[in-house]
Structures are given as C-alpha cells and as structure tokens.
Amino acid sequence: MKMKWMALVLGTSLALAACGGNDGASDKEPAGESSETTTAGAGDAAKIYENKCSSCHAVNLEGGVGPNLTKVGAKLTKADIEKVIANGQGAMPKEIIKGKEASMVAEWLAEHK
C-alpha cells in the first residue's frame, strides 16, 4: 500500500512540475517590470524557456510532448510565435508565459533558424 501511495504522490508531483507552475507574480505585476525581467540579460529568455517550456519542448528545443523548435524561426516570425504563446496551439495551453517574458522568449525562438 505504501508503494502505491508513493507512486501516486511522485506521479502527481511530476505532472504538476511539468506544467511549469505559476507563482502568481506574472498575474499581478507592478507598473514596472516583473522580477524575472528586471535583470535582463542574454540568457533570460533561455532561462524562462527552460523553466516554462522545456518540459514539453525539451531543453535543447528538439521536442518531446510538444513539437521540435530548433528551427521555428525559419517557419514563424516573432509575432507569430507570440500569438502561439498567447493563444496556445494544439495541446499547448494559452498564456504559459505573459507580457515581456513572452516577447523575450518569442524573439529568442525567432532567432532559431
């Protein structure tokens, strides 16, 4: 019985972690930038992607549950990618990333050609 309980808890934890989580910070951002974008640098978009998207698209962009994004910039513009992030597509839920973070990730992905 303990093994079944542990498997249930572990499975639930993994499923919730794969969804990216939401600490509520992006829902009610102050008038300025969110805490994740105040230290803007070259690796921020990649870090946001890793935290929010890699569970489905893989850290190396090669896909898994979600499609391969290694050459997404050759197919979609930054604006197109932002629309997919905002509206979702297929099994991807909408607004996994919002605001400036979504724009940063879209720009970063658009460079992958």
Side-chain angles (χ1 to χ4, degrees), residues 65-110:
V65 175
N68 183 319
L69 300 177
T70 56
K71 296 182 181 180
V72 70
K75 298 175 187 174
L76 301 174
T77 65
K78 176 188 173 202
D80 293 334
I81 296 168
E82 283 184 283
K83 286 179 189 175
V84 171
I85 293 170
N87 301 322
Q89 186 170 334
M92 179 180 157
K94 65 181 183 175
E95 297 182 331
I96 289 177
I97 311 169
K98 298 179 185 177
K100 291 182 181 180
E101 290 181 344
S103 183
M104 288 171 55
V105 171
E107 183 176 353
W108 180 72
L109 287 171

Side-chain angles (χ1 to χ4, degrees), residues 9-28:
V9 171
L10 181 60
T12 303
S13 298
L14 289 173
L16 291 173
C19 293
N22 184 0
D23 62 4
S26 61
D27 292 341
K28 297 178 182 173

Side-chain angles (χ1 to χ4, degrees), residues 9-65:
V9 171
L10 181 60
T12 303
S13 298
L14 289 173
L16 291 173
C19 293
N22 184 0
D23 62 4
S26 61
D27 292 341
K28 297 178 182 173
E29 289 182 13
E33 298 174 334
S34 75
S35 61
E36 289 186 47
T37 57
T38 54
T39 57
D44 283 352
K47 185 170 181 99
I48 295 165
Y49 169 87
E50 186 175 334
N51 290 334
K52 302 285 187 169
C53 311
S54 66
S55 60
C56 293
H57 297 285
V59 175
N60 61 3
L61 306 170
E62 290 185 357
V65 175

